[in-house]
Amino acid sequence: MQLRIAAPPVDGAANAELIALISTALQVRKRDVTVQSGATGRAKQLVVRGDSARLIARLESLIDG
């Protein structure tokens, strides 16, 4: 999945916007989403904490539209 963030990559603003977007989409708290790698690069790996079954169901519903 690819996302484009409008916030500039200054002082972590883009990462914060990405975390807010993902947390809203997956209906989890912002603190449950962290950047595991790629914090200063364009490609990032995120960790989302929560109930796996619920997260998978939410992802599937987002993909299916």
Side-chain angles (χ1 to χ4, degrees):
M1 175 185 287
Q2 289 186 350
L3 301 172
R4 295 210 182 261
I5 302 297
V10 177
D11 296 327
N15 289 340
E17 187 172 323
L18 175 63
I19 288 170
L21 176 71
I22 296 298
S23 67
T24 299
L26 296 179
Q27 300 172 343
V28 297
R29 297 172 297 202
K30 288 180 189 175
R31 68 180 182 196
D32 291 333
V33 180
T34 56
V35 178
Q36 182 177 30
S37 66
T40 60
R42 294 175 65 91
K44 301 179 185 311
Q45 287 185 355
L46 302 177
V47 173
V48 181
R49 290 177 191 79
D51 177 45
S52 298
R54 192 174 80 73
L55 290 170
I56 290 169
R58 183 68 182 138
L59 280 170
E60 288 174 344
S61 71
L62 290 170
I63 291 169
D64 293 339

